[in-house]
Structure formats: structure tokens, C-alpha cells
Amino acid sequence: MTHSRTPEHDIHPLFVARWSPRAFAEVEIPEGELLRFFEAARWAPSSYNSQPWRFLYARRGTEHWPTFLDLLMEFNRVWASRAAALVILLSKAHFIPPGKTEPITTGSQSFDAGAAWAQFALQASLSGWHTHAMGGFDRHKARAVLGIPEDYHPETAIAVGKLGDPGLLPEPLRAREAPSSRRPIAELIAEGRFRFRD
Ligand SMILES: Cc1cc2nc3c(=O)[nH]c(=O)nc-3n(C[C@H](O)[C@H](O)[C@H](O)COP(=O)(O)O)c2cc1C
């Protein structure tokens, strides 16, 4: 692992500018701003153009906020409680292909939803906001409380917010509050045959 956020190759600065903080300022987000991020997500590629992503959201200061906050595991709730919006990203398992009548599954709904999440996060970053995905939330509770049908899988929660004071974080998190690095690209790619060590 290198200790830098400097890319090894020439890429748009957007990709390294996005990172996942935990120190959020307690600000509200205008709905129109959030809609821009969903709009970016909407244009993600997907198998058959099935667009198997759905987003449920709650903004700070609305009636939905406490319900969404309550879905997070405690280790996420301690910091995400200062976010401006909480999103639950769902993937849908089945869809009816054009010209057909029976639903099928592509099996790639999670993969496609991940592409949508990435576009959401990058647009938020471009717009001066930060996002932080959280696998640590109660999926069973989300299904029950938010009325999510069986065919939809709660993939991840996402906190959206403006950068805040890291001093407000509990100590173990405060020390970790910095953009992380990445494995060297040489460990990630191989021309030709598989030759990765892990
Ligand atoms: C699907 C997914 C689940 C994650 N779950 C959590 C989580 O529950 N709590 C948390 O603090 N961070 C979580 N993260 C954030 C990752 O730890 C973070 O994206 C990773 O360390 C890379 O850092 P960066 O996003 O700042 O570049 C999650 C990220 C993803 C994509």
C-alpha cells in the first residue's frame, strides 16, 4: 500500500478528490442538490439497460430523518447523525426485457447498482459535497420499516454531507479521518494470464 493519494497515471482529479469522511457539518441539503446526484446515478450503465437501482432517501430536518438514522449500526450512527442526507440504495433482482413478458434476472443487479453509486458519489464530489457508503445498517429493519418488497435488496446506505470538524468525532475515528491510499496498480492488473498473489 502506498501512502499517497497521488495517482500513478494521468487521470481527472475528480477520481482522487472523492473520499469518504466521517466528520460532517450539521447542515441541510436542498432537495434540488440531492436530485443532481441521483440524476448522475441514473445514467450509469447496466445489463440490458435494466437500471436495477432504486434510491430511498431522507434529508436532515424532515420527518423521515429519524427513521433512516435508526437503521444504521451504532458505529456508523455516531458520525452519520451529522450528515445532511441518508440514502438507502436498493437493487432489483428481476426485470422484464424489452419485447418479453416474463421477468428474468441478469444476476448483475448488485454490480449495476454499484456503478450507480459510483456516479452518485462522483457527482456529489463535483458539486462540493461528500458521500460515505455504509454496509453497516440493518437490512431486515430497513425492509420492514421502509416497506421494501422481496425483489429489492438493500445494498448499502449512503451518508451525504458537507465536511465538518473532525474534533467532534470519537477518538478512534478522529485519528483515521483522512483520505486513504490505494494498492499499487501493478497489484491490480495483468496483461494476459492471471498472476495475482492475493
Ligand atoms: C459498499 C461499501 C460499504 C461500506 N461500509 C462502511 C461502513 O459501514 N462504515 C464506514 O465507516 N465506512 C464504510 N465504507 C467506506 C469504505 O471504508 C471506504 O470507501 C474505503 O475505505 C475507501 O476510502 P475512500 O472512500 O475515502 O476513498 C463502505 C464503502 C463501501 C463502498
Side-chain angles (χ1 to χ4, degrees), residues 5 18-22 75-76 79 117 131-137 155-156 176 178-180 182:
R5 197 126 168 137
R18 184 217 57 79
W19 69 287
S20 307
R22 293 187 180 85
F75 65 89
N76 285 324
W79 55 267
W117 138 249
T131 54
H132 197 134
M134 294 168 286
F137 71 106
E155 293 281 351
T156 192
R176 288 164 54 192
S180 57
R182 290 296 187 269

XYZ file of all heavy atoms in Angstrom, residues 5 18-22 75-76 79 117 131-137 155-156 176 178-180 182, ligand 1:
243
model
N -2.184 9.818 -2.043
C -3.403 9.825 -2.851
C -3.045 10.416 -4.222
O -3.879 10.995 -4.896
C -4.481 10.654 -2.147
C -5.865 10.361 -2.723
C -6.848 9.960 -1.645
N -8.211 9.943 -2.134
C -9.083 8.992 -1.849
N -8.744 7.993 -1.072
N -10.307 9.047 -2.304
N -12.606 12.583 -4.590
C -13.680 11.943 -3.821
C -13.089 11.083 -2.716
O -12.204 10.284 -2.941
C -14.526 11.051 -4.755
C -15.728 10.416 -4.054
C -15.999 8.999 -4.532
N -14.868 8.129 -4.377
C -14.495 7.557 -3.208
N -15.203 7.726 -2.119
N -13.400 6.805 -3.146
N -13.544 11.290 -1.528
C -13.189 10.377 -0.433
C -14.323 10.361 0.562
O -15.278 11.141 0.429
C -11.851 10.761 0.226
C -11.858 12.044 1.019
C -11.902 13.315 0.502
C -11.800 12.185 2.443
N -11.881 14.235 1.520
C -11.810 13.572 2.719
C -11.727 11.280 3.506
C -11.783 14.064 4.034
C -11.683 11.780 4.808
C -11.706 13.152 5.052
N -14.242 9.475 1.517
C -15.366 9.223 2.425
C -15.056 9.706 3.839
O -14.501 8.939 4.639
C -15.668 7.718 2.457
O -15.849 7.203 1.162
N -15.403 10.926 4.157
C -15.163 11.424 5.523
C -16.237 10.929 6.490
O -17.283 10.413 6.071
C -15.268 12.940 5.350
C -16.218 13.127 4.224
C -16.085 11.925 3.320
N -15.949 11.088 7.772
C -16.967 10.847 8.807
C -17.325 12.133 9.530
O -18.360 12.195 10.189
C -16.472 9.796 9.800
C -16.322 8.416 9.204
C -16.000 7.353 10.231
N -15.865 6.037 9.620
C -14.740 5.585 9.080
N -13.640 6.325 9.086
N -14.691 4.388 8.521
N -21.921 2.046 15.216
C -20.599 2.553 14.822
C -20.675 3.508 13.632
O -19.755 4.289 13.400
C -19.607 1.402 14.556
C -19.955 0.513 13.379
C -19.503 0.804 12.107
C -20.711 -0.636 13.562
C -19.815 -0.016 11.020
C -21.031 -1.461 12.482
C -20.582 -1.155 11.212
N -21.752 3.448 12.890
C -21.967 4.429 11.820
C -22.836 5.601 12.285
O -22.643 6.742 11.869
C -22.603 3.770 10.600
C -21.621 2.930 9.802
O -20.442 3.301 9.690
N -22.066 1.820 9.260
N -21.353 9.013 13.785
C -20.866 10.118 12.940
C -21.875 10.514 11.854
O -22.001 11.689 11.514
C -19.504 9.765 12.323
C -19.477 8.478 11.548
C -19.144 7.245 12.027
C -19.822 8.290 10.170
N -19.252 6.302 11.029
C -19.659 6.912 9.878
C -20.248 9.137 9.148
C -19.913 6.381 8.604
C -20.493 8.607 7.889
C -20.330 7.247 7.639
N -24.003 3.890 -7.722
C -23.452 4.503 -6.503
C -22.211 5.332 -6.847
O -22.041 6.454 -6.372
C -23.141 3.427 -5.453
C -21.846 3.616 -4.714
C -20.739 2.850 -4.811
C -21.518 4.645 -3.750
N -19.738 3.330 -4.002
C -20.193 4.432 -3.342
C -22.218 5.725 -3.232
C -19.542 5.252 -2.423
C -21.575 6.550 -2.308
C -20.263 6.313 -1.912
N -19.695 12.033 0.257
C -20.552 10.871 0.480
C -19.756 9.821 1.245
O -18.524 9.813 1.200
C -21.004 10.243 -0.861
O -19.851 9.966 -1.651
C -21.936 11.165 -1.612
N -20.453 8.946 1.932
C -19.793 7.845 2.631
C -20.747 6.650 2.608
O -21.808 6.692 3.231
C -19.457 8.260 4.068
C -18.451 7.371 4.724
N -17.379 7.860 5.440
C -18.339 6.016 4.756
C -16.652 6.841 5.887
N -17.226 5.713 5.498
N -20.372 5.623 1.869
C -21.190 4.407 1.816
C -21.059 3.657 3.132
O -20.004 3.682 3.769
C -20.751 3.519 0.659
N -22.134 2.986 3.525
C -22.133 2.223 4.784
C -22.843 0.885 4.572
O -24.049 0.851 4.350
C -22.884 2.992 5.875
C -22.223 4.298 6.298
S -23.344 5.276 7.319
C -24.515 5.881 6.104
N -22.036 -0.183 4.676
C -22.655 -1.509 4.692
C -23.258 -1.794 6.060
O -24.108 -2.673 6.198
N -22.824 -1.052 7.051
C -23.260 -1.272 8.417
C -24.608 -0.642 8.727
O -24.689 0.420 9.346
N -25.656 -1.307 8.250
C -27.015 -0.899 8.611
C -27.878 -2.162 8.641
O -27.488 -3.210 8.128
C -27.577 0.154 7.642
C -27.907 -0.357 6.268
C -29.224 -0.545 5.875
C -26.907 -0.665 5.351
C -29.532 -1.012 4.597
C -27.199 -1.133 4.081
C -28.524 -1.303 3.701
N -28.742 -2.676 -0.707
C -27.310 -2.890 -0.955
C -26.442 -2.138 0.047
O -25.544 -2.696 0.643
C -26.935 -2.400 -2.367
C -27.558 -3.214 -3.479
C -26.811 -4.522 -3.721
O -25.730 -4.710 -3.142
O -27.334 -5.356 -4.488
N -26.691 -0.843 0.147
C -25.847 -0.021 1.009
C -26.607 1.217 1.455
O -27.562 1.632 0.797
C -24.544 0.379 0.262
O -23.610 0.944 1.172
C -24.798 1.390 -0.833
N -8.404 8.433 12.245
C -8.494 7.838 10.888
C -9.088 8.797 9.865
O -9.278 8.430 8.699
C -9.373 6.579 10.947
C -8.695 5.409 11.647
C -9.690 4.335 12.038
N -10.518 3.863 10.928
C -11.599 3.112 11.089
N -11.990 2.745 12.298
N -12.300 2.723 10.047
N -8.852 10.823 7.359
C -8.013 11.343 6.269
C -8.258 10.476 5.038
O -8.590 9.293 5.165
C -6.547 11.270 6.671
N -8.084 11.064 3.861
C -8.251 10.251 2.651
C -7.278 9.080 2.652
O -6.122 9.225 3.050
C -7.914 11.237 1.524
C -8.132 12.595 2.113
C -7.774 12.461 3.564
N -7.758 7.932 2.239
C -6.927 6.721 2.253
C -6.177 6.581 0.931
O -6.478 7.250 -0.053
C -7.817 5.502 2.477
O -8.802 5.449 1.468
N -4.265 3.710 -1.961
C -4.695 2.540 -2.734
C -3.513 1.616 -2.980
O -2.369 2.027 -2.929
C -5.292 2.982 -4.090
C -6.646 3.691 -3.994
C -7.717 2.782 -3.454
N -9.041 3.391 -3.509
C -9.582 4.105 -2.519
N -8.921 4.325 -1.402
N -10.801 4.603 -2.651
C -20.227 -0.983 -0.024
C -19.447 -0.160 0.979
C -19.698 -0.327 2.340
C -19.018 0.459 3.277
N -19.353 0.352 4.615
C -18.841 1.224 5.500
C -19.346 1.280 6.834
O -20.261 0.570 7.231
N -18.781 2.183 7.685
C -17.774 3.016 7.294
O -17.331 3.819 8.119
N -17.290 3.008 6.020
C -17.806 2.148 5.117
N -17.385 2.175 3.794
C -16.360 3.149 3.354
C -15.058 2.492 2.935
O -14.361 2.064 4.079
C -14.236 3.489 2.089
O -14.926 3.772 0.899
C -12.859 2.929 1.743
O -12.075 2.810 2.908
C -12.119 3.786 0.749
O -11.975 5.094 1.219
P -12.464 6.372 0.403
O -13.926 6.147 0.059
O -12.272 7.524 1.354
O -11.623 6.504 -0.831
C -18.034 1.389 2.852
C -17.787 1.539 1.468
C -18.478 0.786 0.543
C -18.228 1.027 -0.941
